[in-house]
Amino acid sequence: MSTPGRRFSVSKGPSPNEQSSKIHRQFRNAHEGHRPHAGLDPSRASTGVVWCTERANEHGFADAPSEWANLGQGAPEVDDDIEGSFERPKSIDISISGREYGPTAGIKPLRVAIANLYNAHHRQGKASQYTWENVAVVPGGRAGLIRIAAVLNNAYLGFFIPDYTAYNVGYDPPTSSILSFAAIPSPLAEKDNYHIHPEKIEDEISRGTSVILTSNPRNPTGQVVKNPELSQIQDICRDRATLIMDEFYGGYNYTSNCDGSVVSAADNIINVDEDDVLIIDGLTKRFRLPGWRVAWILGPKEFIRAIGSCGSYLDGGTNVPFQQAAIPMLEPSRVRKEMKALQQHFRNKRNYVIGRLLDMGFKISHVPDSTFYIWLDLSSLPTGSNDGLNFFQKCLEERVIVVPGIFFDLNPAKRRDLFDSPCHHFVRLSYGPKMETLKKGLDGIERIIKNYINIG
């Protein structure tokens, strides 16, 4: 099938395809156009999940969320009923010190616990070990990414699409002018399952990129780069580029028979203070505590000092009582057991969801080997349903939420026709929620297939 030429929508207006689709017009209007308040650009306040939730609220989601299946939210189930998983605290004893301002780099006991966890799981037998000075505690993943961005020097920062939608903010010229770096997106090939090869990293560095940011395991495609390729990538970057590894989904690793092992760049670092590798993770995903907003960054001490200091003017630091409560959760043997239970449970959910989708007639070329996402290809559906936005609209009518793939792409200056996006015939579907929610959501998608669509 030939690829149509790129169409641009600034000078000539949106294409007939866009004009004939209500949901496309709504998307376009939300991301450009009239600004009723002189100092406000509302398009810069919304990521994909937020926009999708706002549209769902228009259909009644906020009034009766229990009647919906939210397969769009990037969060795991948080209940205590996963077999083999430890019970989360239901109350927290707040000490006197917990009433005080905490250090913007995090309290020392938690930083010690995080360093010990990584040394036990990823640095056994290695001369260079993490210490508490290699760890900064931050109030969530986005806050961590913002802190890292704040301390980067004048640099070209490369990242790969499709990927986590918050990375795209750095591409926006106003954001880049506030910070010191210029973000350079690089598309990955669908035919290659969006894989990051070492040769791709070499090409990025050769064209002047000195900072590389990527999620691993990858959101939204559900794929992971593991050794030996991960080690090769780190060897290529060593002494040439700073590597920022978003490892929030590292615990959702199904490539090692769910033995509890976690994929991390920490395995391949030679010297923790000389290798320019920053690792960001936290309690949000693999400990299933997104509401706690406790995350961390590991890296060379000089980086960590700067990242800790800039928290004083960016976010003020992480909630102290929750930091104190997190410490016993990070005992290495306890974490290993937790990861094993997590992997077995989420692999079973993945298999259930993929089985249901295949039975409906969807084509799944590559089964995700990590995360809790499926990058679902809609291209086999008939016109009018085979793009992420129109499929999302049909899902809303069945009280199901997914995230259109277009949110994981870039559209510089909003000039490209939406239908020309390489991500437009995808949606991201999350199997993070509880099984009962997955069944409800898949029942809704099946009704769409039976009532409106005939695949095949």
Side-chain angles (χ1 to χ4, degrees):
M1 184 175 66
S2 61
T3 302
R6 296 296 191 196
R7 292 165 293 189
F8 297 94
S9 57
V10 168
S11 59
K12 297 182 180 180
S15 70
N17 280 335
E18 286 193 27
Q19 290 281 25
S20 63
S21 170
K22 178 181 177 181
I23 190 68
H24 283 80
R25 295 195 305 272
Q26 192 175 31
F27 176 90
R28 178 71 77 178
N29 291 337
H31 289 81
E32 58 188 67
H34 175 64
R35 297 177 183 176
H37 302 284
L40 174 66
D41 180 358
S43 70
R44 298 186 61 200
S46 178
T47 62
V49 171
V50 172
W51 187 87
C52 292
T53 304
E54 290 169 347
R55 303 290 77 73
N57 288 341
E58 294 168 1
H59 287 71
F61 173 61
D63 298 323
S66 63
E67 298 176 8
W68 285 64
N70 186 354
L71 309 185
Q73 181 64 47
E77 58 182 284
V78 299
D79 290 1
D80 287 324
D81 52 6
I82 294 179
E83 184 178 355
S85 175
F86 66 79
E87 186 175 349
R88 274 49 175 176
K90 292 183 171 61
S91 61
I92 293 175
D93 183 23
I94 301 178
S95 65
I96 294 298
S97 62
R99 302 178 186 179
E100 302 280 359
Y101 281 125
T104 55
I107 61 173
K108 183 176 177 180
L110 179 57
R111 296 167 73 184
V112 169
I114 294 166
N116 288 342
L117 174 64
Y118 278 79
N119 289 336
H121 285 186
H122 305 288
R123 307 295 301 166
Q124 289 281 359
K126 300 181 187 295
S128 180
Q129 299 281 300
Y130 286 115
T131 73
W132 67 275
E133 294 177 287
N134 295 107
V135 180
V137 180
V138 293
R142 293 174 185 84
L145 289 169
I146 291 169
R147 285 204 197 186
I148 291 171
V151 303
L152 293 177
N153 60 18
N154 293 315
Y156 290 117
L157 181 148
F159 66 100
F160 305 98
I161 51 176
D163 210 327
Y164 176 42
T165 58
Y167 297 168
N168 296 352
V169 176
Y171 190 81
D172 195 2
T175 303
S176 297
S177 66
I178 296 171
L179 303 173
S180 299
F181 63 88
I184 309 295
S186 181
L188 300 174
E190 178 183 344
K191 65 182 180 181
D192 196 25
N193 198 28
Y194 308 100
H195 190 68
I196 300 177
H197 295 280
E199 294 79 11
K200 181 75 169 176
I201 301 296
E202 183 69 60
D203 289 344
E204 290 301 303
I205 294 176
S206 296
R207 68 173 180 157
T209 300
S210 58
V211 181
I212 292 173
L213 165 64
T214 186
S215 59
N216 190 51
R218 293 187 56 72
N219 171 13
T221 59
Q223 305 297 323
V224 66
V225 180
K226 56 183 182 177
N227 286 333
E229 281 192 308
L230 179 57
S231 179
Q232 293 169 16
I233 287 172
Q234 290 177 244
D235 288 343
I236 291 168
C237 291
R238 189 170 288 111
D239 299 324
R240 301 172 68 194
T242 296
L243 184 60
I244 305 169
M245 300 297 293
D246 177 345
E247 295 186 350
F248 269 90
Y249 298 95
Y252 298 85
N253 166 39
Y254 318 123
T255 66
S256 55
N257 199 30
C258 297
D259 63 358
S261 61
V262 172
V263 175
S264 177
D267 286 318
N268 307 313
I269 289 171
I270 294 176
N271 188 305
V272 298
D273 287 318
E274 293 181 5
D275 283 29
D276 272 359
V277 179
L278 299 174
I279 296 170
I280 183 167
D281 196 359
L283 301 184
T284 305
K285 307 297 186 184
R286 62 172 168 139
F287 291 87
R288 299 186 297 112
L289 290 168
W292 282 32
R293 313 310 297 152
V294 176
W296 54 77
I297 302 167
L298 284 88
K301 291 176 184 176
E302 286 186 87
F303 256 112
I304 295 303
R305 279 195 291 269
I307 288 168
S309 295
C310 72
S312 64
Y313 64 83
L314 286 174
D315 52 57
T318 308
N319 180 296
V320 174
F322 282 116
Q323 290 187 68
Q324 294 170 332
I327 295 168
M329 297 182 191
L330 301 183
E331 193 278 317
S333 62
R334 191 182 196 191
V335 173
R336 180 75 74 180
K337 182 180 178 182
E338 177 71 17
M339 294 303 100
K340 186 174 182 179
L342 183 85
Q343 291 164 6
Q344 292 172 344
H345 181 77
F346 277 78
R347 181 179 63 178
N348 290 340
K349 292 200 296 180
R350 178 202 67 180
N351 293 345
Y352 170 77
V353 172
I354 286 185
R356 288 283 307 270
L357 292 171
L358 290 173
D359 288 344
M360 293 180 210
F362 286 98
K363 295 178 176 63
I364 299 177
S365 303
H366 301 278
V367 174
D369 59 17
S370 55
T371 75
F372 44 77
Y373 299 125
I374 294 171
W375 187 234
L376 186 61
D377 188 351
L378 307 174
S379 59
S380 60
L381 306 186
T383 301
S385 302
N386 64 348
D387 66 84
L389 284 170
N390 274 309
F391 188 80
F392 164 76
Q393 182 65 36
K394 285 183 168 59
C395 283
L396 291 183
E397 294 165 6
E398 297 295 336
R399 297 187 175 185
V400 178
I401 305 173
V402 296
V403 179
I406 199 165
F407 284 106
F408 301 90
D409 188 20
L410 287 175
N411 193 355
K414 309 299 184 286
R415 295 179 64 234
R416 187 175 64 206
D417 188 279
L418 298 177
F419 281 84
D420 284 339
S421 168
C423 298
H424 200 28
H425 61 287
F426 287 91
V427 292
R428 189 190 75 177
L429 188 153
S430 170
Y431 52 95
K434 293 174 62 102
M435 182 64 84
E436 62 191 55
T437 302
L438 299 180
K439 290 178 180 178
K440 184 189 299 183
L442 291 164
D443 288 347
I445 292 174
E446 189 167 17
R447 288 194 296 272
I448 294 170
I449 300 301
K450 289 181 177 179
N451 295 337
Y452 305 108
I453 300 169
N454 182 23
I455 300 181

